[in-house]
Amino acid sequence: SFIADMHRAFRARHDYVVEALNAMPGVRCLPSRGAFYAFPLMQAVIERLKLKDDLDLGEYLINEAGVALVPGSAFGAPGYMRLSFATGLDNLKKGLQRIATALRT
């Protein structure tokens, strides 16, 4: 059915995003529970890049990777970033590759 197909598609996106984020040095991401967002802890990345906070990391990722993540401080969780996986898997793969490349600096 359509709903079962969509559930499988979002599960695949979720699993890919969580695995890709956890493969990045200094990034820790727990699986989400029913949301269309990943919420990785990126404080170690912020410190390694000598950035002030998650707002600076958001700006850094827009400038260096061309990818927009929402700083966790907007949700009362500084050091975290919110990433939506409500887009196609190809877009997610490209975006996460650009993030990984930008974080290797």
Side-chain angles (χ1 to χ4, degrees):
S1 77
F2 175 77
I3 297 203
D5 290 344
M6 288 304 296
H7 183 266
R8 277 191 290 278
F10 275 99
R11 174 53 56 192
R13 294 173 195 171
H14 166 273
D15 293 348
Y16 179 83
V17 167
V18 170
E19 184 176 330
L21 288 168
N22 281 319
M24 297 177 197
V27 179
R28 297 293 163 256
C29 186
L30 296 174
S32 66
R33 306 182 110 221
F36 299 117
Y37 305 100
F39 206 61
L41 175 60
M42 299 184 81
Q43 186 62 42
V45 171
I46 293 165
E47 293 169 8
R48 182 173 50 78
L49 295 175
K50 296 179 176 36
L51 299 171
K52 180 181 168 193
D53 54 22
D54 55 334
L55 297 170
D56 281 357
L57 179 58
E59 187 174 332
Y60 175 85
L61 290 172
I62 286 172
N63 292 330
E64 299 298 320
V67 176
L69 277 67
V70 179
S73 58
F75 307 96
Y80 286 80
M81 301 297 285
R82 187 176 84 161
L83 183 154
S84 170
F85 52 86
T87 186
L89 191 55
D90 287 342
N91 285 336
L92 291 168
K93 287 179 180 181
K94 290 174 191 170
L96 286 161
Q97 181 58 50
R98 294 194 325 235
I99 291 169
T101 299
L103 296 185
R104 283 192 202 110
T105 305

